Amino acid sequence: MNEQENVVDLLQDIKGLLSHTKKVFNIDDLVKYTGLSKSKIYKLSQLKLIPAGKNKHIRQLFFNKEEIDAWLIGEPNLSDEFLEHQFNEQLAKNKR
């Protein structure tokens, strides 16, 4: 790697670290912050298993960093099996 590539990599690392100081995350910020996939975050938000906010005028999910930190510390069950079970339960409730 040459010096220019090292500087670019360093700037990208700094940019990533600075993004974690935000108080409110969008979906892309949350993916970077938690390491979860977009699809898993969408599933969690659809099942209301992750603290999320919505602005009806923007049609985008937002996540409060402090609430996400508390949620993560609470060790949520993020397994695909658990999410599928929760989804099936929600479907069964909606059919009634």
Side-chain angles (χ1 to χ4, degrees):
M1 247 195 230
N2 65 30
E3 188 174 333
Q4 196 172 26
E5 289 172 334
N6 287 337
V7 170
V8 169
D9 288 343
L10 182 60
L11 288 173
Q12 288 175 339
D13 290 344
I14 291 169
K15 182 181 177 184
L17 290 171
L18 288 174
S19 71
H20 297 315
T21 62
K22 295 169 79 174
K23 290 184 179 185
V24 177
F25 293 144
N26 62 25
I27 191 84
D28 293 323
D29 296 331
L30 193 61
V31 166
K32 291 174 191 169
Y33 186 68
T34 63
L36 297 172
S37 67
K38 271 187 181 183
S39 63
K40 184 153 288 200
I41 292 170
Y42 281 122
K43 287 176 192 173
L44 289 165
S45 62
Q46 181 182 12
L47 294 169
K48 297 182 179 15
L49 297 174
I50 188 171
K54 252 200 252 189
N55 183 326
K56 64 183 177 183
H57 303 291
I58 299 175
R59 292 185 48 176
Q60 185 175 12
L61 290 172
F62 293 97
F63 305 89
N64 180 300
K65 182 181 182 295
E66 290 179 7
E67 291 177 3
I68 292 298
D69 287 341
W71 176 75
L72 288 169
I73 289 170
E75 298 182 24
N77 187 344
L78 301 174
S79 69
D80 289 333
E81 295 81 20
F82 174 73
L83 295 179
E84 186 174 339
H85 176 73
Q86 293 293 96
F87 185 74
N88 289 335
E89 278 188 6
Q90 188 178 39
L91 280 177
K93 285 180 187 176
N94 290 342
K95 285 183 180 179
R96 294 180 195 158

